Amino acid sequence: MAKPSEPKRKKRNGGTTTSRMRDVARKAGVSVMTVSRALNDPDKVSKEMRLKVRAVVDEIGYVPNRLARSLSSNRSNLLGLIVPSIRNSLFAETIKGISDVASGNGYRLMIADSGPGLHEEEEAITAFLQQRVAGLVLHNTSHTANAIEMIGKAGIPVVENGNLTSTPLDSVVSYSNYEAARAMTLHLARMGYKQIAFVSLVRRENDRARERLRGYLAALKELGRKPDDALILERPPGFSAGAEAVMHLVESVPQVDAIFFAGDVLAVGAALECQRRGWKVPGRVALASFDDLDILRHVNPPLTTIRLPRYEIGRRSAECLLDRIAGRATERVSLDLKFEIIQRESA
Amino acid sequence: MAKPSEPKRKKRNGGTTTSRMRDVARKAGVSVMTVSRALNDPDKVSKEMRLKVRAVVDEIGYVPNRLARSLSSNRSNLLGLIVPSIRNSLFAETIKGISDVASGNGYRLMIADSGPGLHEEEEAITAFLQQRVAGLVLHNTSHTANAIEMIGKAGIPVVENGNLTSTPLDSVVSYSNYEAARAMTLHLARMGYKQIAFVSLVRRENDRARERLRGYLAALKELGRKPDDALILERPPGFSAGAEAVMHLVESVPQVDAIFFAGDVLAVGAALECQRRGWKVPGRVALASFDDLDILRHVNPPLTTIRLPRYEIGRRSAECLLDRIAGRATERVSLDLKFEIIQRESA
DNA sequence: TTGTAGGCGTTATCAC
DNA sequence: GTGATAACGCCTACAA
């Protein structure tokens, strides 16, 4: 009797045919399982076997199929990351941190840009769950009800890292936007500034900006000062908006003596605008920023700001995720990576 | 005789059990194929079927498994992108372009940061091929022999987009670094500058930087000028390096009257340094940059530079890839998206 | 329009 | 240490 014949391959791949483990096995004269073990668990096969398999793999240029592996083992090596804007260089640091840890551990990173909207975040989450990512990093700390439910059902670990929220989905690795903004406001007050303005990105659908405003208001309250609506602005991202904001404030509220730009590159735009107009900083108006973009050190005068451990946040987020995935950790983590006020010459 | 009994699921997923198409099928009282069709090819089932299936899907929160789909259909919805530095905001624009097109067409983006090294790029390529990406976007235009061979064997479309190379692996969507640098050098000469210095990133393992130098040298030759080694520098990325370079040049070659910074944010660092020292730009020395970073418009004076269609490059790269994947296009593409000299006040 | 059979390339499991 | 077998969840091909 003939052995059950080899099933023919279903289709061709446009001429090129990718080799399978079976091809390696046949050529090496061993079983498929031995090849699998030689590749993934070398200690479980004899040295001689290992070498033989390796040789064949190299010879025919076999590239393992992770889709099949993941499907069979029910374990993927994919991490999903969703950021509000991939363009924003602030996130780039964090992405790099995640990417380094991921690739260092054999994981691959899928990145989605959700824009500011919660609904688009949900779509990205759906897509990632379909790919069966092993874990998820979200920058947002607010999500649609649907997104929350889906993540819960999927049973995968999640790290949020845009804000040290007290109500995380799962784990958080971040810093407190509230505390940072509060600290900077108090710092400016301590430096003697009386009329401190606050400019952030548009707060709608941006929990970070809202938290920062909350911190600013809390500081004012502690200082016994009344918030002044004319001193609280929101602007789109970009240098121009910062430039425009400083002009607007100095002209419409002449007594303003310090402006705290709580987001994006607004402060840089403002600083360059002051320079252009010959407004002394901090003589005419003091400037402070959020985040420690490299350029803040290089403008004239260097800008006082808040240093955030962006890379570290990425690194720790990924580590936290991998620990959970590998079962090395089972508990939720809430990690505050802190911030630091960098006093320079602009305030 | 009993029907062959349902195979038990191989393992459990830590308590949570993800539902399968089979679960949907059973609950809807139809076959698995009907569910598959209702989801992926709705036109092929009756309206009533479609609704019934949808209802069950929503009810039990079924999330399709793309790993299984890809494995079975031999078609993945993954695109791989490899950039030298994810931190670099220049790439961010391109990434966004790719990301927009990809997600708009149901594709997901995997991003790897290869660093400057070719060998790391090869590793990333290997990893992506294992995930069975449907296509690849590479920023580099030079690769290890191994990488080239693997890509060839995989038979997937590739777009390179860091430089309009004449020897692409497959398709190219980019601009000519050579022509851009040449054009800027000629432009500076036309403006009357006699001693034009050239500063780029470190050229080893960076084909873009090498092409730019080639363009600069070609322009000098056309102008009948001899290149002067003292006027040709390479520097690491960053503002500080630009600041240092301008100081170095002005002091070591006092007759220099223009500096062409062909990379990164070097020109910005230089401009801010000149300002700090009170050197007139372009009075003492003219400055020109490469790439149209937003900030170039905002420093004082605004910097003359080269505008590159970064986002467009990403968009077109992805479109090109998808066309090939879908079989809408079969020919290699070589697309020159051009550049544009932006004359501002610094030169 | 719907269903059945079998395969995609790998790993888990158990036998030898 | 090595191999045979079934299963992972879905899709292709074909039959009804």
Side-chain angles (χ1 to χ4, degrees):
Chain A
M1 296 276 240
K3 270 180 78 170
S5 72
E6 282 278 315
K8 284 278 184 248
R9 303 186 79 169
K10 231 195 293 190
K11 46 241 137 178
R12 274 162 290 178
N13 188 3
T16 335
T17 306
T18 317
S19 54
R20 303 153 293 176
M21 232 179 220
R22 184 184 304 167
D23 303 321
V24 177
R26 186 161 24 228
K27 192 135 193 165
V30 299
S31 78
V32 178
M33 269 318 295
T34 300
V35 176
S36 175
R37 280 192 276 252
L39 259 28
N40 305 311
D41 217 343
D43 295 339
K44 290 202 167 178
V45 301
S46 66
K47 186 174 177 185
E48 138 188 302
M49 200 84 281
R50 208 156 46 220
L51 294 175
K52 181 157 53 173
V53 170
R54 288 259 190 240
V56 177
V57 165
D58 288 345
E59 186 191 341
I60 69 178
Y62 166 68
V63 178
N65 185 330
R66 298 236 34 144
L67 296 176
R69 189 214 241 265
S70 296
L71 179 62
S72 179
S73 65
N74 194 28
R75 208 154 357 99
S76 95
N77 67 331
L78 262 31
L79 257 33
L81 166 66
I82 304 176
V83 291
S85 165
I86 227 170
R87 274 181 160 114
N88 194 321
S89 59
L90 298 177
F91 300 136
E93 277 300 303
T94 305
I95 294 178
K96 176 77 167 128
I98 297 171
S99 172
D100 285 353
V101 173
S103 63
N105 289 75
Y107 280 75
R108 301 297 138 198
L109 192 56
M110 309 192 45
I111 305 182
D113 181 320
S114 70
L118 257 41
H119 187 69
E120 286 173 286
E121 192 205 45
E122 181 187 319
E123 281 185 10
I125 289 174
T126 308
F128 282 167
L129 293 181
Q130 294 187 174
Q131 308 286 352
R132 296 298 190 264
V133 294
L136 225 34
V137 180
L138 306 177
H139 191 83
N140 279 340
T141 50
S142 49
H143 318 277
T144 65
N146 229 321
I148 294 174
E149 194 193 329
M150 292 180 57
I151 290 176
K153 274 200 154 177
I156 58 172
V158 178
V159 175
E160 288 162 282
N161 65 12
N163 184 50
L164 195 72
T165 172
S166 56
T167 55
L169 280 179
D170 180 356
S171 292
V172 215
V173 175
S174 193
Y175 65 92
S176 168
N177 283 277
Y178 169 84
E179 290 297 347
R182 176 173 163 273
M184 178 59 92
T185 309
L186 292 175
H187 176 79
L188 292 172
R190 217 174 303 122
M191 300 289 291
Y193 301 105
K194 301 298 181 197
Q195 298 286 328
I196 304 171
F198 174 90
V199 185
S200 71
L201 295 182
V202 176
R203 297 184 294 271
R204 186 182 139 70
E205 296 212 310
N206 184 334
D207 46 355
R208 277 87 59 200
R210 283 198 300 272
E211 282 298 290
R212 293 176 194 180
L213 176 59
R214 228 168 47 78
Y216 165 79
L217 294 174
L220 289 192
K221 190 164 186 180
E222 290 174 49
L223 295 162
R225 302 185 185 174
K226 284 254 171 293
D228 177 351
D229 280 351
L231 289 178
I232 300 177
L233 267 49
E234 43 183 6
R235 286 292 181 274
F239 297 102
S240 306
E244 185 276 325
V246 71
M247 279 163 42
H248 176 81
L249 281 167
V250 167
E251 282 162 12
S252 68
V253 194
Q255 70 273 25
V256 65
D257 58 0
I259 308 177
F260 174 20
F261 287 93
D264 200 67
V265 293
L266 298 169
V268 177
L272 294 173
E273 184 66 24
C274 288
Q275 204 166 66
R276 205 171 296 126
R277 300 184 164 249
W279 290 345
K280 294 269 183 236
V281 174
R284 171 61 192 86
V285 65
L287 300 179
S289 185
F290 208 101
D291 242 304
D292 62 336
L293 293 166
D294 221 20
I295 192 171
L296 299 180
R297 284 206 331 264
H298 294 272
V299 293
N300 309 317
L303 291 170
T304 292
T305 190
I306 301 169
R307 174 163 332 188
L308 304 172
R310 295 279 184 195
Y311 179 85
E312 198 64 11
I313 287 174
R315 199 175 67 73
R316 300 296 288 267
S317 294
E319 284 175 358
C320 170
L321 221 44
L322 294 184
D323 282 348
R324 296 285 299 279
I325 291 167
R328 284 189 295 272
T330 54
E331 314 226 325
R332 295 168 167 226
V333 166
S334 185
L335 196 56
D336 185 352
L337 259 25
K338 309 291 184 183
F339 57 86
E340 186 186 348
I341 297 217
I342 309 291
Q343 169 66 31
R344 290 198 274 243
E345 300 162 32
S346 71
Chain B
M1 295 280 236
K3 270 180 78 170
S5 73
E6 282 277 316
K8 285 280 184 248
R9 303 185 79 170
K10 234 195 290 191
K11 47 242 137 178
R12 275 162 292 179
N13 187 3
T16 336
T17 306
T18 317
S19 55
R20 301 154 292 177
M21 233 179 220
R22 184 184 304 167
D23 303 322
V24 177
R26 187 163 22 229
K27 192 135 192 167
V30 298
S31 78
V32 177
M33 267 320 295
T34 301
V35 177
S36 174
R37 281 192 276 252
L39 260 29
N40 304 313
D41 218 343
D43 295 338
K44 291 202 165 177
V45 300
S46 65
K47 186 173 178 184
E48 138 187 302
M49 199 82 283
R50 208 157 44 220
L51 295 175
K52 181 155 56 171
V53 171
R54 287 260 190 238
V56 176
V57 165
D58 288 345
E59 185 191 342
I60 70 178
Y62 167 67
V63 178
N65 185 332
R66 293 234 40 138
L67 296 177
R69 190 216 238 266
S70 297
L71 179 61
S72 178
S73 66
N74 195 27
R75 203 152 3 97
S76 95
N77 67 332
L78 262 29
L79 258 32
L81 166 66
I82 305 177
V83 291
S85 165
I86 230 172
R87 273 180 162 115
N88 194 323
S89 59
L90 300 178
F91 302 135
E93 277 301 303
T94 305
I95 294 178
K96 177 75 167 127
I98 297 172
S99 172
D100 285 353
V101 173
S103 64
N105 289 75
Y107 280 75
R108 300 299 139 197
L109 193 56
M110 309 191 46
I111 304 181
D113 182 320
S114 70
L118 258 42
H119 188 69
E120 285 173 288
E121 192 205 44
E122 181 186 320
E123 281 184 10
I125 290 173
T126 308
F128 283 166
L129 293 181
Q130 294 186 176
Q131 308 285 351
R132 295 297 189 264
V133 294
L136 226 33
V137 180
L138 306 178
H139 191 83
N140 280 340
T141 49
S142 50
H143 318 278
T144 65
N146 228 323
I148 294 174
E149 193 193 330
M150 294 180 57
I151 289 177
K153 275 199 154 178
I156 58 173
V158 177
V159 175
E160 287 162 283
N161 66 11
N163 185 50
L164 195 71
T165 172
S166 56
T167 55
L169 280 179
D170 180 355
S171 292
V172 215
V173 176
S174 192
Y175 64 93
S176 167
N177 283 277
Y178 169 85
E179 291 297 347
R182 176 171 161 274
M184 178 60 91
T185 308
L186 292 175
H187 176 79
L188 292 172
R190 217 174 304 123
M191 301 287 291
Y193 300 104
K194 302 297 181 197
Q195 297 286 329
I196 305 171
F198 175 90
V199 185
S200 72
L201 295 182
V202 176
R203 297 184 295 271
R204 189 182 136 71
E205 298 211 310
N206 184 334
D207 46 354
R208 276 88 60 200
R210 282 196 302 272
E211 282 298 290
R212 293 176 194 179
L213 176 58
R214 225 166 51 75
Y216 166 77
L217 293 174
L220 288 193
K221 190 164 186 180
E222 290 173 49
L223 294 163
R225 302 186 186 174
K226 284 255 169 294
D228 176 351
D229 278 353
L231 289 177
I232 300 176
L233 266 49
E234 44 183 7
R235 286 290 181 276
F239 298 101
S240 306
E244 185 276 325
V246 71
M247 279 162 44
H248 176 79
L249 280 167
V250 167
E251 281 163 12
S252 68
V253 193
Q255 70 273 25
V256 66
D257 58 1
I259 308 177
F260 175 20
F261 286 93
D264 202 65
V265 293
L266 298 169
V268 177
L272 294 172
E273 184 66 24
C274 288
Q275 204 165 66
R276 205 171 295 124
R277 300 184 164 248
W279 291 345
K280 294 269 182 235
V281 174
R284 171 60 192 87
V285 66
L287 300 179
S289 185
F290 208 100
D291 241 305
D292 61 335
L293 292 166
D294 221 20
I295 192 170
L296 299 180
R297 284 207 331 264
H298 294 272
V299 292
N300 309 317
L303 292 170
T304 292
T305 191
I306 302 168
R307 176 166 323 181
L308 304 172
R310 294 282 184 195
Y311 179 84
E312 199 62 12
I313 288 174
R315 200 175 66 74
R316 300 295 289 267
S317 295
E319 283 175 357
C320 170
L321 220 44
L322 294 185
D323 282 348
R324 295 285 299 278
I325 291 168
R328 285 189 295 272
T330 54
E331 313 226 325
R332 295 168 167 225
V333 166
S334 185
L335 195 56
D336 185 353
L337 259 24
K338 309 290 184 183
F339 56 87
E340 186 186 349
I341 296 215
I342 310 291
Q343 169 67 30
R344 290 198 275 242
E345 298 162 33
S346 72

